Amino acid sequence: MHGSTPTALSSESNELHPATGAQTGAHLHAQAHDATPRLRGDLGVWLVILMELLTFAILFVSFAFARTREVALFNASQATLNLNAGALNTVLLISGSWCVASAVAAVRRNASVVGARWLLGALGCGGGFVVVKLGEYAQKLASGVDLSTNTFYMFYVLLTGFHFLHVVVGMLAITYLWLKTRRGRYSSHDCHALETGAAFWHMVDLLWIVLFPLVYVMR
């Protein structure tokens, strides 16, 4: 009897050790993969973000330069803008970014349902921005303001309109990601697409944070 027990244990050990070693190796590999610095999101979207930031930077500088040539006109025209609407839209976009960041964090914890809810919250914030902005445009059109009214309004429509299109594109991307997330498509090991969409949405938020004080507030 004393001779048979070690044999059984030895046999069991021989079966378990290779599997345990493989699991440990996979775990270490996953840890090493997680610890390796990597770009959050797709490289292509980061290149797009870089180009968009450069484009807006040129527009912002052009706006500031034009303002120095017609300070009184810019101040008078800025006074007609709805500052409360602009501030509300700032809160909505920042809240939307927070929702998107929370969604990515939830999916990294393999909580897809929670992540999908956060994305829905981001869509709500984006939708609120669109409604408020369309209300502003309708008000300006009703009062006869358009691109040809003066230099300030030309920049106002150009800058805010271009940014508005980015919000719409971002919402379409978030909608797609929401559909995929609620189906459990993403997880802690595969949230690359989600990070890509989040990067674009954060850019939209960042642009507005610069645009709002420049166009609405600064005198």
Side-chain angles (χ1 to χ4, degrees), residues 132-151:
V132 172
K133 199 66 210 160
L134 286 177
E136 280 191 86
Y137 287 146
Q139 189 179 29
K140 289 303 171 199
L141 286 173
S143 59
V145 171
D146 57 31
L147 275 169
S148 61
T149 300
N150 62 38
T151 307

Side-chain angles (χ1 to χ4, degrees), residues 62-146:
S62 300
F63 176 89
F65 179 75
R67 178 182 174 77
T68 61
R69 298 170 63 90
E70 299 178 90
V71 176
L73 171 69
F74 272 59
N75 284 341
S77 300
Q78 275 182 303
T80 68
L81 298 182
N82 189 334
L83 196 59
N84 291 330
L88 175 59
N89 270 344
T90 304
V91 173
L92 285 170
L93 282 188
I94 291 175
S95 300
S97 264
W98 181 61
C99 288
V100 170
S102 298
V104 174
V107 171
R108 284 177 183 158
R109 300 193 306 269
N110 291 319
S112 296
V113 175
V114 177
R117 289 174 183 164
W118 280 118
L119 289 177
L120 205 56
L123 281 174
C125 291
F129 179 94
V130 168
V131 170
V132 172
K133 199 66 210 160
L134 286 177
E136 280 191 86
Y137 287 146
Q139 189 179 29
K140 289 303 171 199
L141 286 173
S143 59
V145 171
D146 57 31

